[in-house]
Amino acid sequence: MAAISLVWTAIGGGPLGLHGLIALSLGVLGTVGLTWALMALAFKSSREGWDDRPDDPDKP
């Protein structure tokens, strides 16, 4: 977040105020949380066989 704030200032965006830092923090944390949740669901789906075809002849 510090790097994003510095880049924002470097491109002429001005310093981020308190509300900007709060919004940036919530956006970063929300994105990381959503990414983590979706990847967890993808791994769970893969491990439990939800992605397998129902007519897979290799399954008993």
Side-chain angles (χ1 to χ4, degrees), residues 5 15-26:
S5 180
L16 289 176
L18 177 63
H19 292 111
L21 290 173
I22 292 171
L24 179 63
S25 300
L26 290 175

Side-chain angles (χ1 to χ4, degrees), residues 17-59:
L18 177 63
H19 292 111
L21 290 173
I22 292 171
L24 179 63
S25 300
L26 290 175
V28 168
L29 291 175
T31 301
V32 169
L34 182 62
T35 302
W36 179 83
L38 291 174
M39 288 303 296
L41 287 173
F43 282 115
K44 179 178 175 61
S45 171
S46 176
R47 287 184 186 136
E48 293 184 2
W50 294 349
D51 299 330
D52 297 339
R53 293 178 54 150
D55 59 346
D56 191 1
D58 296 331
K59 293 278 183 173

